[in-house]
Amino acid sequence: MRKFLHYALNRLVITALIVLLQVVFFMMEIVMWGNYYVEIAMCLRLVSFGVIIALILKQGNPAVKMAWIVPILLFPLFGGVMYLALGHVFRPKRLYMAMKHTDELVRSNLQQDEGTMDRLKKSAPGIANQCEYILHYAKTPAWEHTGAVYYADGLPWWKRLLEDLETAERFIFLEFFILGEGTMWDTVLEILERKVKAGVEVRLIYDDVGSVFLLPKEYNEKIEKKGIKCVAFNRLVPFLALVLNNRDHRKIVVIDGRVGYTGGINMSDEYINYKRSHGDHWKDAGIRIEGEAVWNFTVMFLQMWNMSRHTEEYYGRYRHHFTVRPAGEGIVQPYMDTPLDDETVGENVYLNMIGSARKYIYIFTPYLVTDNEMHTALKLAAKRGVDVRIVTPGTPDKKTVYWLTQSNYQSLIEAGVKIYQYTPGFIHSKCVLCDDETAVVGTINFDYRSFYHHFECGVFLYRTAMLGDLKKDMEETFAVSENITLEWCKKKFVKTNVIGPFLKLFSPLL
């Protein structure tokens, strides 16, 4: 009963009920105006017709357009109205204007070192092209002199984070999609409280929807009383027209501008396997960087902070000036992606890697709900002889998305892609490794939400020492995962060939 009440009284459930009541109220209004039903129905159909025309003429992914056109045609009375309310017709004005306002701060603070780029162009022109794409469209430069350490699981990542937090002398910035009370967060919070008392500036951003089942409504105010500056990003408000999809899915920690963390690991106990909710083991991945490239994360955090708090700061006071440059070979380039522009940076970085792969490309992703461009790129790489391997979860966290993921298996396998399901449980890692040369570790899933709707981040790496650790982890993961075959797909015929294709029509909306 307590668990039922926890979910029944949750803000997200209450919000959904309020939205439903608004829809019911809207329908009752039509009934009350029954004498004018024909006129009202005609107006609603005209709205739906206008929306379909606008979708056809609109620039963008055809799959996303069709995902809306189908339900609008099926429900012409309300389809157009629902699209206007929930279809991202209007960007969230407050967020959009705030990001536009802070863009100049980002550009002025993140400048590419010309020497680094010149050396890269001479030694690896193709990699330089990828780095320049990230620089121009994510606004984040590539760096040398940065060490990177890969963590194949959440527990060692967390333990090293605790050690680094204890060394903080100036500031700590934290940004997470999910924040949940428990051992993991409570231990971090205890350190943060001590650091605040010692004069360290601490700032925290958590996503309001991502944490909605785990935190009380005014948790940010509770944190502020401890002396920690706190923002609940894009607050959940129960109105139909609210754009809820633009979530802060990033995971970033910056300590004194020297050390930075990211990856798939959120601040909740299941990420370190202190709580088990999806199989025997929750597998995740993280990265720790130390050196010049941390500046990218510092500016990325400050931009999100200023978007939320509407403040403007001199970013330079948070930059760490290394008297001795940290040891680190290769290139490290942290980057971000935003849903408020028309550039799908997260997807395009992956597509560039897949398109340039010569020997192999290995992928960890919890969700494989891709558009036609990504699906075609994966198949084409396999067809030209590249060893393409993808690991997805063996245990679902969301059954609908799990079926959608599995519905993509057969056509990929037929093209030569190798699919594995992580048998021990749920894999939440978001990693790509290509040809022992390049990799991405970050927060970006292979799905529409990450590619189109969320604020995301990742680290692009070229010839860094940690690539060997990532490859070892991937090979060990293949060994404990189930290799999916065409026979397996045929046994799951209803899910993969009936339910899955139907869900694909609506996959951009999930």
Side-chain angles (χ1 to χ4, degrees):
M1 177 59 70
R2 181 178 296 178
K3 187 175 182 181
F4 170 78
L5 289 174
H6 169 73
Y7 286 104
L9 298 177
N10 189 273
R11 285 180 289 150
L12 191 59
V13 174
I14 293 171
T15 298
L17 289 174
I18 291 174
V19 169
L20 180 61
L21 286 173
Q22 291 177 93
V23 172
V24 171
F25 177 78
F26 182 49
M27 294 176 69
M28 288 176 64
E29 285 287 301
I30 293 177
V31 172
M32 291 174 63
W33 290 83
N35 292 335
Y36 302 97
Y37 173 79
V38 174
E39 290 82 358
I40 294 172
M42 180 61 70
C43 289
L44 291 173
R45 286 191 173 94
L46 284 173
V47 169
S48 294
F49 178 75
V51 165
I52 290 172
I53 296 300
L55 280 167
I56 292 171
L57 297 176
K58 182 182 178 181
Q59 295 290 326
N61 191 303
V64 177
K65 296 181 186 181
M66 287 303 299
W68 274 109
I69 289 173
V70 169
I72 291 171
L73 289 174
L74 287 173
F75 310 105
L77 282 180
F78 297 103
V81 175
M82 289 302 294
Y83 176 76
L84 292 175
L86 303 174
H88 305 284
V89 182
F90 310 105
R91 289 174 171 142
K93 187 175 180 181
R94 182 180 63 81
L95 287 178
Y96 177 71
M97 293 305 295
M99 173 158 276
K100 188 176 179 181
H101 187 64
T102 56
D103 265 354
E104 189 54 42
L105 280 170
V106 173
R107 291 182 186 277
S108 62
N109 279 282
L110 290 177
Q111 299 292 323
Q112 178 63 62
D113 177 72
E114 295 299 329
T116 297
M117 191 57 71
D118 288 342
R119 285 187 289 274
L120 191 57
K121 286 179 179 178
K122 290 177 182 177
S123 62
I127 304 300
N129 289 341
Q130 172 82 303
C131 292
E132 286 200 317
Y133 170 78
I134 295 172
L135 174 65
H136 292 151
Y137 291 98
K139 310 178 191 73
T140 55
W143 297 91
E144 299 171 300
H145 310 296
T146 300
V149 179
Y150 173 75
Y151 292 90
D153 210 35
L155 187 58
W157 180 94
W158 175 60
K159 288 184 175 180
R160 184 56 198 269
L161 173 64
L162 296 178
E163 294 175 8
D164 283 330
L165 290 172
E166 293 284 7
T167 68
E169 296 178 348
R170 295 174 54 221
F171 67 89
I172 299 170
F173 296 157
L174 305 100
E175 181 179 347
F176 287 95
F177 177 60
I178 294 175
L179 197 67
E181 294 177 302
T183 302
M184 187 182 190
W185 170 239
D186 291 348
T187 306
V188 170
L189 183 58
E190 187 273 328
I191 297 173
L192 299 181
E193 290 184 66
R194 282 194 283 106
K195 287 297 175 179
V196 166
K197 291 176 182 177
V200 175
E201 180 183 359
V202 180
R203 299 187 186 186
L204 169 67
I205 301 173
Y206 66 87
D207 188 84
D208 196 47
V209 170
S211 307
V212 72
F213 286 114
L214 302 173
L215 298 177
K217 183 179 180 182
E218 305 301 337
Y219 188 73
N220 58 314
E221 296 179 8
K222 176 182 176 181
I223 292 296
E224 290 263 0
K225 290 177 181 178
K226 298 177 183 291
I228 298 168
K229 298 175 183 177
C230 185
V231 165
F233 181 80
N234 199 1
R235 292 302 299 262
L236 178 63
V237 181
F239 289 103
L240 183 62
L242 179 69
V243 179
L244 293 175
N245 273 344
N246 297 131
R247 307 317 317 171
D248 183 4
H249 194 244
R250 308 191 314 187
K251 296 92 180 167
I252 294 174
V253 180
V254 180
I255 301 166
D256 288 346
R258 299 179 297 103
V259 175
Y261 285 81
T262 193
I265 305 161
N266 281 294
M267 198 59 64
S268 186
D269 280 359
E270 61 264 34
Y271 292 86
I272 54 174
N273 284 287
Y274 277 32
K275 181 173 71 176
R276 302 182 190 277
S277 54
H278 304 290
D280 292 333
H281 188 260
W282 181 293
K283 178 171 175 53
D284 221 319
I287 185 173
R288 176 190 185 272
I289 65 172
E290 183 173 5
E292 303 283 359
V294 177
W295 178 232
N296 286 17
F297 277 136
T298 307
V299 174
M300 286 156 57
F301 176 90
L302 287 170
Q303 183 186 31
M304 187 66 78
W305 182 267
N306 289 342
M307 283 171 56
S308 304
R309 280 287 182 103
H310 301 287
T311 58
E312 202 168 300
E313 300 186 46
Y314 169 57
Y315 289 3
R317 67 192 179 99
Y318 294 103
R319 185 167 189 172
H320 184 82
H321 298 281
F322 293 89
T323 53
V324 178
R325 284 178 164 175
E329 59 188 48
I331 295 293
V332 178
Q333 189 173 18
Y335 63 95
M336 57 185 169
D337 192 11
T338 167
L340 304 183
D341 60 19
D342 296 318
E343 191 71 21
T344 55
V345 172
E347 181 179 30
N348 290 341
V349 169
Y350 288 160
L351 286 171
N352 287 341
M353 294 177 70
I354 295 166
S356 64
R358 301 182 304 276
K359 300 175 183 176
Y360 74 84
I361 188 154
Y362 298 160
I363 298 167
F364 284 170
T365 180
Y367 314 116
L368 189 61
V369 185
T370 60
D371 56 21
N372 185 64
E373 290 83 353
M374 180 61 71
H375 201 76
T376 301
L378 291 167
K379 292 197 295 184
L380 185 58
K383 287 177 180 178
R384 69 172 187 267
V386 176
D387 181 9
V388 182
R389 304 188 191 186
I390 305 172
V391 182
T392 63
T395 302
D397 66 334
K398 305 175 185 72
K399 283 197 174 181
T400 302
V401 181
Y402 188 60
W403 294 341
L404 260 172
T405 292
Q406 293 180 335
S407 71
N408 286 305
Y409 288 173
Q410 185 166 330
S411 63
L412 290 171
I413 293 170
E414 288 173 344
V417 177
K418 299 180 181 71
I419 303 289
Y420 297 83
Q421 286 194 163
Y422 182 64
T423 306
F426 188 75
I427 183 168
H428 192 252
S429 310
K430 306 95 167 45
C431 304
V432 178
L433 176 65
C434 179
D435 293 342
D436 294 336
E437 285 192 338
T438 61
V440 167
V441 179
T443 70
I444 308 165
N445 298 317
F446 278 68
D447 66 2
Y448 285 91
R449 288 203 164 276
S450 280
F451 292 158
Y452 292 95
H453 299 319
H454 286 166
F455 292 88
E456 301 280 3
C457 67
V459 183
F460 176 73
L461 305 114
Y462 170 65
R463 289 194 173 177
T464 60
M466 60 142 278
L467 297 188
D469 295 327
L470 175 55
K471 186 175 185 181
K472 179 183 177 185
D473 178 38
M474 288 184 151
E475 289 174 339
E476 290 175 351
T477 303
F478 298 148
V480 298
S481 299
E482 179 184 8
N483 187 2
I484 304 301
T485 64
L486 287 175
E487 289 71 23
W488 184 96
C489 295
K490 291 173 182 176
K491 289 179 182 177
K492 306 280 185 178
F493 180 83
V494 174
K495 289 182 181 178
T496 60
N497 292 283
V498 179
I499 298 175
F502 178 77
L503 290 173
K504 279 184 184 180
L505 289 173
F506 304 95
S507 57
L509 313 183
L510 297 176

